[in-house]
Amino acid sequence: MHPFWTFLDKTQRFMKGVSSVCLMGMALMTCADVILRATINKPIFGSEEIVSIFAVLAIGFALPYAHRKDSHVGVEIVVRLLSKKNQEIIRLITNVFSCLLFLLLAWQMFLYARVMQGSGEVSMNLELPTYSFVYALSFCLFIVTLYILQDIIFFFRGDRQEQ
């Protein structure tokens, strides 16, 4: 396998770990907030904000893994009735449009994060710099774009084993 694809897989595994930690952080923060609220009537200040940030990061960092495992939702009722060759052509067309869409999303998220950083926007309660999370999400979308591009390249090379 090409060293770049190996690096991409290592990045995806790291991102999967970050996503898992964020998911665990969401659960722990919610449990701690509920317990403190119920026992001593003292909720954790900004817990909703932290859980929301963890949720965004968990979803964003899990996207490359979901694409790699082909576990995203797809509507294939009609496509399954087509021949294998037509299914591959539809998959290629879908991948090309998806690649363009995710690249556009990553780029626009990056530009949006720069605007947020320039304006000094922070979160409402904890005053965390929200632009850093938008940068992180932009990075995640870019990694998904690279995986979709990999699928397109492997299609044209006829290399189905590496996917």
Side-chain angles (χ1 to χ4, degrees), residues 4-140:
F4 181 74
W5 302 134
T6 304
F7 173 74
L8 192 62
D9 282 341
K10 287 179 183 177
T11 304
Q12 177 264 132
R13 284 193 298 274
F14 173 76
M15 292 173 71
K16 180 177 69 170
V18 171
S19 178
S20 300
V21 168
C22 289
L23 196 59
M24 189 172 58
M26 285 172 58
L28 291 174
M29 179 60 70
T30 302
C31 287
D33 188 45
V34 168
I35 289 169
L36 289 174
R37 186 182 305 260
T39 57
I40 59 174
N41 200 23
K42 291 277 187 182
I44 298 173
F45 179 73
S47 64
E48 298 90 359
E49 205 169 275
I50 293 170
V51 169
S52 297
I53 290 168
F54 277 156
V56 167
L57 294 177
I59 292 168
F61 279 88
L63 281 175
Y65 176 75
H67 179 78
R68 184 76 173 145
K69 294 298 179 183
D70 206 22
S71 62
H72 42 59
V73 176
V75 181
E76 300 177 354
I77 296 171
V78 176
V79 176
R80 286 185 186 181
L81 301 174
L82 300 174
S83 69
K84 198 71 166 165
K85 182 180 178 182
N86 287 338
Q87 287 179 17
E88 288 296 317
I89 291 171
I90 289 174
R91 184 176 178 97
L92 173 66
I93 293 168
T94 303
N95 280 340
V96 168
F97 283 118
S98 297
C99 187
L100 294 173
L101 176 67
F102 275 95
L103 184 61
L104 180 66
L105 286 171
W107 174 50
Q108 289 299 312
M109 292 283 289
F110 181 81
L111 294 178
Y112 180 58
R114 284 182 53 197
V115 169
M116 290 175 74
Q117 184 178 11
S119 69
E121 189 170 331
V122 294
S123 62
M124 189 169 21
N125 293 328
L126 299 175
E127 296 183 359
L128 298 171
T130 52
Y131 65 85
S132 58
F133 307 113
V134 179
Y135 277 129
L137 193 55
S138 173
F139 170 75
C140 295

